[in-house]
Amino acid sequence: MIATAVQPRAMSHTSCCVLLSVSLALSCRLWSVCADFPAVFGDESSGFGPVFEEQPFDTIYPEESPEDKIIMSCRTRANPPASNRWRLNNTEVVIGNDDHYSLMGGNLVISFPDKSKHAGNYSCLASNEFGTLVSQKASVQFGYLDMFSSDEREAVYVKEGQGAVLLCAPPPHFPEDLFFRWILNEFPEFIPLDKQRFVSQTTGNLYISTVRASDSGNYSCFVSSPSIAKSVFSKFIPLVPIAERSLRKYPADIKVKSPDTYTLLGQNVTLECFALGNPIPQIRWRKVDGDLPVHRHNISMAGSLLHLYNIQYEDEGLYECEADNSKGKDRHKVHLYVEGAPKWVEKISSSERDIGGDYIMSCLASGKPKPHVHFLKNGRMYAKNHELHFTDLTFDDSAMYQCIAENRHGTIYANAELRVFAGAPSFEWKPMKPKLLGAKNGRVVIDCKPRAAPQPTISWSKGTELLHNSSRIFIWPDGSLELLNVTKSDEGKYTCFAENDRGRANSSGSLSVTDATKITLAPSNSDVSVGKSARMECATSHDPTLDLTFVWSLDAHVIDFDRDREHYEHKMDVNQDGQAGMSSSELLISNTQLRHAGHYSCTAQTPVDNVTASAELVVRGPPGPPGGVRVDEVMTSSVRVTWSHGTDNLSPISKYSVQYRDVREQQDWRDTSTSPVNVEGNAEMSSVINLTPWTEYEFRVIATNTLGTGPPSDPSPKITTREARPVVAPSDIGGGGGTSRELTITWTPVQPQYYYGSNFGYIIAFKPHNDPEWMRVTVTDPQAQKYIHKDSKIPPSTRFEVKMKAFNSQGEGPFSVSAFIYSAQDVPAEAPTIIEARTLSATEAVVSWVPLQLQTVEGYQVRCWRESVENEASAQRVLVPSRENHTRLDNMKPNSHYLIEVRAYNGAGYGPASQRHKIYTKKAPPSRPPKIIGTKMNYSGTTINIAWEQVEPLTNESTVEGYKVLYRQEGQPNGVLYTTAKQSIDLPMKKGDYLVEVRAHSEGGDGAVAQVRIAGAAILASPSLGFFWLLLTVLLSLIL
């Protein structure tokens, strides 16, 4: 009977063999088949229960799919073949009553899927006379991705230097695994992502840390659903940067913040972090309660993405993202929780058990949260615990069993078949070997393993003599016969007899005794240094009728000479020097490494016995890495580093080296300066000096002995040296110029490694030359490179003495060397006088003025704009050097009133404007080209006449004053220009291909052009041949 069973048992079911198929994968389509079936149950042809070879898997069916069916797979191996049936949400699927469902070789086909009817969890049940198995559950879900709203998106206006967020707002969809990109202006121009721009794969929003003028454009959110292979994009969102006279700086402000995240053991996870700010913030990640996993993390997208791979439980904890720029810092913490899907620790296995016996079927699963475990018997709930206890087994206990472990992250199945057997003893499957061998003076065990139930009684005989337990003979409880100190007299025929209440059987074999194998030369101990070679020998005597082989092992692990052929070589001499029964083996170890040290064993092995001899190999080498590196006694420029000794690898450590690395600069490891300079081999601490204040360091230690230098230790925990006053002042102090009543001071900022403390900034001291009193100002931005001092009392072009020093929270540093600069000059005080302003055409004008006799004038600005149409701010501007007093204005509008003014300028700005002059541009030239009406060559072939119709201008166009004709060789930009008041012109014939361009001319300029192409041959020299000119002259073609 079964202690945990809750169902009555029928007594009619019988069975005689067992099969197991354990299925572990949650979503794997193909489950493994039990390959050792015959070894467990004998002959496969005797029948076995269902084994899943293919199971249904989760399916997402696109609602817009052109396919009109879903196929749920279910393929089994069974004898006799299994029949399949299906359940939807634990309710039987009736085939035939619903036109949507049909079976195809055991697979379930859903035709014309309907979300309201066919969504849910499906499972396949496979049955034959040995029992029933239930497949893993597989969901059918319907995927969709709607279109974006057709409403226009509002423009986003952002000041240059500020950050911007463009919202994606993806449309309704399923499933949630969307991929986001953004289009700029037109498809498929996807914006590249860098440290300035970031697209969150959680929300789809586009983040721009610092908006620039070049970011202007129309943006569209492009959304893809990999599950249903569909993409949609939103209406365009105009981004309009607003120009600023000077870009303001903004502190780092984290806008993309990964929420607290749950992930599963073994999976990969990506955490997002992105900040707005000007300058563009730098982003760094750390694990608050430990270190980032070594070799299992990666940071990409300029720090915005932290990728964690193959998540382990120890990765759970608090992760911090820090964004900082010269204006400030921002931090965000995210808690990562690690849980686990169920995983088998112990699983059920197939078993054949004797009738009336006891048996325990057990399975254990790990996972977080802890999985719930229950058993199914033939597809039905059987027990809600992790063990089944069987006592007094009967045929009714034969069935297909399934152990199921599940938590909120998944479900795993382990399947097995239990069969209860009853029968008379039989040696059909495991008969005794007919020929048995034993070594002289050795030990022989002869197995007797008949198939029988109930357990049979075993007895033995040699020849006709019945055997009993003695000092040399022992019959084990499992029926095996053991003989000790075997001699030649033990040779003979041995028979095992098995009997139970259902019958009896026997099996026999003959024992022969051979000479024992003995070690005649054992390997010797050896002592070598790393990189040297070692050699071991082993020789034996053995029975010459038996095959002998040598097996070499290191610390009980057999040496694989193929895999380790770089270091190991094996030579064997069987029947050494022609002596039968004498063999030897040699092991060569080249380029020895520390891992090759240990206990070597040589085993001489025959089919009957084996003997082993061993030796030690000592390998001496450079030291191993020191351990437990820690840092304490942290000062401004020194620390104390402590460590524990690593392995000396059998050669005393002579010295230690301490190295450091600047964490912020990510520089290579460098040797430190220590006190004392030489760190002896027995030391476990050293003072490191000459460090930089307020710098984050990590340290490592390396040991050296007479055989070399070992690998470095693991890095110490990161530390930051204490703050100190700065000692470096800004360099390259200069400046001058600028706007009137200003003093502009410039410098090269101090590099961050010389800040030496927090709250770093600059103090600027300046005064007019020879003035005793200094003025001081403070600049708090450590990256600043310019300061402009504005004061209405500052005299123009005055020499100033300037010096600077740095400060931080610990105090002020030394002043720099003084520099001398000049304050800005005044703007020109006078306005130029315009001499002439006149139009040249519909789009051009010329302006001239009387130059100012001032030394401070650097040039002139000429502005023009259309009166009553354009405002002064949109005026066209032309800059002219001070040595010139006239300029030409282009790109003006025809038939328009313009206002023109001139002003002088210098580095301080613009002076007063001249009196405004008005001009009126001429009407536009004719927009229609002349119509060519004829091309005619004269009788002699020396000239060609081009004729055209009169061009009639429109009412808003200038009157035609004549025509310009350009006669040029094809492919050349220049030619001969003719003017005429007529509607025709005679042009000389020339060799080669020529173009004739005709256009009307007016006071507003030249009109549209008409063009004629002349393709000609050589001009005839003799007038007497003029009669044949049509055969020899050019072909004319009109190009309008």
Side-chain angles (χ1 to χ4, degrees):
M1 61 181 295
I2 305 174
T4 58
V6 294
Q7 299 167 322
R9 298 174 296 185
M11 299 302 294
S12 60
H13 181 73
T14 61
S15 59
C16 63
C17 62
V18 171
L19 176 67
L20 166 66
S21 173
V22 179
S23 307
L24 298 177
L26 291 174
S27 59
C28 180
R29 182 171 183 177
L30 184 63
W31 285 21
S32 62
V33 179
C34 180
D36 60 348
F37 170 83
V40 178
F41 302 111
D43 187 1
E44 183 175 341
S45 63
S46 62
F48 56 92
V51 177
F52 282 115
E53 294 187 326
E54 190 172 356
Q55 299 199 55
F57 54 90
D58 293 342
T59 299
I60 295 177
Y61 178 79
E63 292 185 356
E64 302 174 11
S65 173
E67 297 288 335
D68 57 3
K69 61 184 176 183
I70 300 172
I71 298 178
M72 305 294 287
S73 301
C74 184
R75 184 162 59 89
T76 58
R77 177 172 173 257
N79 186 16
S83 61
N84 291 357
R85 50 197 173 93
W86 289 81
R87 289 176 183 165
L88 168 59
N89 298 330
N90 295 321
T91 300
E92 197 85 12
V93 174
V94 180
I95 307 298
N97 291 354
D98 189 332
D99 293 338
H100 293 279
Y101 289 118
S102 60
L103 286 179
M104 183 175 66
N107 297 336
L108 179 66
V109 180
I110 309 173
S111 301
F112 304 104
D114 184 332
K115 182 177 181 180
S116 63
K117 297 180 180 179
H118 304 131
N121 293 316
Y122 289 80
S123 54
C124 171
L125 288 80
S127 305
N128 70 0
E129 65 184 62
F130 296 107
T132 299
L133 284 184
V134 180
S135 74
Q136 63 184 18
K137 290 183 179 179
S139 66
V140 170
Q141 297 171 298
F142 287 73
Y144 62 92
L145 175 59
D146 291 349
M147 302 298 292
F148 274 95
S149 169
S150 59
D151 294 341
E152 294 294 332
R153 295 287 190 103
E154 293 184 2
V156 177
Y157 295 87
V158 184
K159 292 181 180 180
E160 290 184 18
Q162 287 186 336
V165 181
L166 303 186
L167 303 181
C168 179
H173 58 275
F174 182 85
E176 293 298 324
D177 59 336
L178 297 182
F179 178 66
F180 299 94
R181 290 182 288 176
W182 280 76
I183 300 169
L184 178 58
N185 294 328
E186 61 181 356
F187 182 84
E189 294 297 326
F190 293 103
I191 65 169
L193 302 181
D194 49 30
K195 63 181 180 181
Q196 182 202 359
R197 290 172 288 194
F198 179 78
V199 175
S200 170
Q201 294 303 318
T202 302
T203 63
N205 298 338
L206 170 64
Y207 298 83
I208 304 176
S209 62
T210 303
V211 173
R212 300 166 179 155
S214 59
D215 294 318
S216 175
N218 296 313
Y219 292 77
S220 173
C221 181
F222 189 86
V223 182
S224 301
S225 174
S227 299
I228 63 174
K230 181 180 179 181
S231 299
V232 295
F233 57 88
S234 70
K235 285 282 189 177
F236 280 98
I237 304 172
L239 176 62
V240 184
I242 301 173
E244 289 279 279
R245 183 172 180 179
S246 61
L247 292 183
R248 291 182 56 190
K249 295 185 177 181
Y250 300 92
D253 182 13
I254 296 177
K255 289 298 184 184
V256 179
K257 303 176 180 179
S258 283
D260 289 348
T261 301
Y262 286 82
T263 188
L264 294 182
L265 184 72
Q267 289 189 344
N268 303 331
V269 69
T270 297
L271 303 179
E272 296 182 336
C273 179
F274 189 77
L276 310 185
N278 184 29
I280 297 173
Q282 300 293 318
I283 298 176
R284 289 181 291 274
W285 286 91
R286 73 183 183 100
K287 191 169 188 282
V288 176
D289 46 1
D291 294 328
L292 292 174
V294 179
H295 306 309
R296 289 191 297 106
H297 83 275
N298 180 47
I299 297 175
S300 65
M301 288 298 298
S304 299
L305 298 178
L306 171 62
H307 307 278
L308 301 173
Y309 305 109
N310 188 22
I311 290 290
Q312 302 299 308
Y313 285 122
E314 60 265 26
D315 298 330
E316 183 170 286
L318 202 59
Y319 291 78
E320 182 183 76
C321 157
E322 179 185 86
D324 75 286
N325 61 11
S326 59
K327 297 298 291 182
K329 292 184 179 181
D330 194 10
R331 293 182 176 89
H332 170 66
K333 292 184 176 68
V334 53
H335 205 122
L336 181 67
Y337 299 93
V338 181
E339 298 194 344
K343 183 178 180 180
W344 290 122
V345 176
E346 177 186 348
K347 55 194 177 185
I348 58 175
S349 60
S350 294
S351 185
E352 180 183 79
R353 293 289 161 173
D354 294 345
I355 193 168
D358 299 336
Y359 180 55
I360 297 176
M361 187 177 287
S362 175
C363 61
L364 291 174
S366 63
K368 186 179 178 182
K370 184 178 179 180
H372 298 287
V373 180
H374 63 274
F375 275 90
L376 301 182
K377 179 181 179 182
N378 288 334
R380 297 181 179 275
M381 178 62 71
Y382 190 62
K384 293 185 177 181
N385 53 49
H386 70 280
E387 282 189 347
L388 295 180
H389 291 260
F390 298 88
T391 58
D392 192 18
L393 285 166
T394 68
F395 290 129
D396 184 55
D397 296 320
S398 296
M400 302 299 299
Y401 291 87
Q402 290 179 279
C403 181
I404 300 174
E406 57 186 334
N407 64 13
R408 60 172 170 257
H409 301 301
T411 304
I412 54 176
Y413 295 70
N415 305 336
E417 183 177 347
L418 171 65
R419 291 198 184 172
V420 177
F421 170 75
S426 172
F427 288 93
E428 180 181 357
W429 286 277
K430 291 187 178 180
M432 188 185 300
K433 294 179 180 180
K435 294 183 178 181
L436 306 169
L437 295 175
K440 187 177 180 181
N441 298 323
R443 168 178 173 269
V444 175
V445 175
I446 307 174
D447 289 334
C448 180
K449 297 185 180 298
R451 188 180 186 194
Q455 184 75 24
T457 300
I458 302 296
S459 59
W460 284 87
S461 70
K462 177 188 175 187
T464 59
E465 177 187 359
L466 188 64
L467 299 177
H468 301 281
N469 288 339
S470 67
S471 60
R472 285 199 322 111
I473 300 174
F474 183 71
I475 301 175
W476 292 359
D478 68 352
S480 299
L481 175 66
E482 180 181 21
L483 305 177
L484 301 177
N485 300 320
V486 175
T487 65
K488 284 287 186 178
S489 63
D490 291 320
E491 293 183 333
K493 179 181 178 181
Y494 288 81
T495 303
C496 171
F497 298 92
E499 181 178 2
N500 65 10
D501 60 1
R502 294 177 179 260
R504 62 180 296 169
N506 63 75
S507 182
S508 301
S510 296
L511 173 66
S512 298
V513 178
T514 63
D515 291 337
T517 305
K518 297 179 181 179
I519 296 288
T520 59
L521 176 63
S524 302
N525 296 335
S526 184
D527 189 326
V528 297
S529 299
V530 167
K532 302 298 183 180
S533 298
R535 176 173 169 270
M536 292 186 178
E537 290 184 290
C538 181
T540 64
S541 64
H542 57 91
D543 193 304
T545 64
L546 299 177
D547 292 334
L548 174 76
T549 185
F550 287 94
V551 177
W552 287 90
S553 59
L554 170 60
D555 295 332
H557 297 285
V558 175
I559 297 172
D560 187 331
F561 289 97
D562 288 330
R563 188 186 64 191
D564 296 332
R565 59 180 175 274
E566 180 181 352
H567 296 283
Y568 289 109
E569 184 181 354
H570 176 218
K571 296 180 180 179
M572 186 169 70
D573 186 1
V574 179
N575 297 325
Q576 188 176 8
D577 299 327
Q579 301 181 54
M582 300 295 292
S583 299
S584 65
S585 174
E586 183 179 43
L587 175 66
L588 299 176
I589 311 170
S590 58
N591 188 22
T592 55
Q593 302 298 308
L594 294 171
R595 66 178 183 274
H596 296 139
H599 186 79
Y600 283 81
S601 297
C602 167
T603 300
Q605 184 172 302
T606 69
V608 175
D609 63 347
N610 63 77
V611 61
T612 298
S614 301
E616 295 290 332
L617 175 63
V618 175
V619 180
R620 304 177 189 272
V629 179
R630 292 290 181 268
V631 182
D632 56 15
E633 297 185 7
V634 179
M635 308 301 287
T636 58
S637 60
S638 66
V639 298
R640 186 179 72 166
V641 179
T642 62
W643 61 90
S644 58
H645 295 299
T647 58
D648 62 8
N649 291 323
L650 306 177
S651 178
I653 296 171
S654 57
K655 70 172 183 177
Y656 285 99
S657 301
V658 183
Q659 295 184 326
Y660 75 94
R661 178 167 63 186
D662 186 328
V663 176
R664 185 182 186 91
E665 296 296 324
Q666 286 296 304
Q667 58 188 207
D668 295 333
W669 289 96
R670 301 178 182 179
D671 290 333
T672 62
S673 298
T674 59
S675 178
V677 175
N678 297 319
V679 183
E680 299 296 332
N682 59 355
E684 290 186 303
M685 58 159 285
S686 175
S687 293
V688 177
I689 58 176
N690 298 335
L691 299 175
T692 302
W694 201 55
T695 301
E696 187 176 23
Y697 289 103
E698 55 185 350
F699 299 85
R700 69 182 187 183
V701 182
I702 301 173
T704 300
N705 62 16
T706 57
L707 297 177
T709 298
S713 68
D714 290 335
S716 69
K718 299 178 180 66
I719 62 95
T720 300
T721 49
R722 292 186 180 182
E723 299 184 14
R725 291 184 179 184
V727 296
V728 177
S731 58
D732 301 325
I733 298 173
T739 306
S740 178
R741 309 301 173 184
E742 290 183 351
L743 179 66
T744 301
I745 302 170
T746 62
W747 64 90
T748 298
V750 175
Q751 294 298 310
Q753 62 264 35
Y754 301 116
Y755 289 175
Y756 285 10
S758 57
N759 301 321
F760 185 84
Y762 305 106
I763 295 173
I764 306 173
F766 56 95
K767 66 183 180 68
H769 189 47
N770 297 327
D771 193 320
E773 294 189 11
W774 292 86
M775 290 176 282
R776 290 167 59 107
V777 294
T778 300
V779 178
T780 59
D781 182 359
Q783 294 300 315
Q785 303 179 50
K786 179 192 291 187
Y787 170 74
I788 299 176
H789 183 72
K790 298 181 179 182
D791 189 342
S792 60
K793 298 178 182 178
I794 294 179
S797 303
T798 301
R799 192 177 192 221
F800 276 77
E801 183 178 357
V802 181
K803 58 183 179 181
M804 294 182 64
K805 64 180 176 180
F807 73 89
N808 62 20
S809 58
Q810 299 301 306
E812 300 175 2
F815 269 115
S816 66
V817 176
S818 293
F820 295 91
I821 61 176
Y822 286 84
S823 61
Q825 56 192 352
D826 278 343
V827 299
E830 299 178 22
T833 301
I834 295 178
I835 301 173
E836 180 187 27
R838 59 184 174 86
T839 58
L840 300 177
S841 67
T843 60
E844 298 172 319
V846 65
V847 182
S848 60
W849 58 90
V850 177
L852 299 178
Q853 301 302 315
L854 297 174
Q855 293 293 331
T856 58
V857 173
E858 297 179 7
Y860 299 92
Q861 182 195 64
V862 181
R863 300 198 307 165
C864 66
W865 64 96
R866 286 189 290 170
E867 187 178 20
S868 303
V869 177
E870 300 173 342
N871 57 43
E872 190 176 343
S874 62
Q876 179 181 343
R877 293 169 171 80
V878 178
L879 296 181
V880 181
S882 60
R883 64 180 178 273
E884 297 181 6
N885 70 331
H886 63 275
T887 190
R888 188 186 186 103
L889 302 176
D890 299 317
N891 300 318
M892 303 175 79
K893 300 293 184 183
N895 200 23
S896 300
H897 290 278
Y898 272 87
L899 294 175
I900 299 176
E901 68 178 22
V902 182
R903 64 178 69 197
Y905 72 87
N906 59 20
Y910 293 96
S914 66
Q915 288 188 346
R916 293 174 179 174
H917 275 238
K918 292 184 180 181
I919 62 171
Y920 185 78
T921 54
K922 302 180 186 299
K923 290 184 178 181
S927 59
R928 293 181 290 190
K931 182 177 182 182
I932 307 297
I933 59 175
T935 56
K936 184 177 180 182
M937 186 175 295
N938 71 351
Y939 179 77
S940 64
T942 58
T943 64
I944 184 168
N945 179 267
I946 309 295
W948 57 87
E949 290 183 352
Q950 171 71 27
V951 175
E952 296 296 335
L954 303 176
T955 56
N956 63 341
E957 294 178 346
S958 299
T959 303
V960 175
E961 297 177 348
Y963 298 91
K964 290 183 179 180
V965 180
L966 179 63
Y967 190 34
R968 63 182 177 87
Q969 190 172 3
E970 189 172 21
Q972 298 297 322
N974 301 319
V976 180
L977 182 65
Y978 300 88
T979 58
T980 179
K982 300 178 181 181
Q983 280 81 54
S984 66
I985 191 170
D986 290 324
L987 300 173
M989 279 299 297
K990 298 182 180 181
K991 294 181 180 181
D993 296 338
Y994 277 79
L995 291 177
V996 178
E997 296 178 351
V998 183
R999 68 191 78 201
H1001 174 65
S1002 69
E1003 67 172 2
D1006 296 337
V1009 66
Q1011 195 177 74
V1012 176
R1013 182 173 179 272
I1014 301 174
I1019 301 174
L1020 298 177
S1022 173
S1024 64
L1025 297 179
F1027 179 79
F1028 303 102
W1029 69 272
L1030 288 173
L1031 300 176
L1032 302 174
T1033 55
V1034 300
L1035 173 65
L1036 304 179
S1037 61
L1038 178 64
I1039 304 173
L1040 296 178

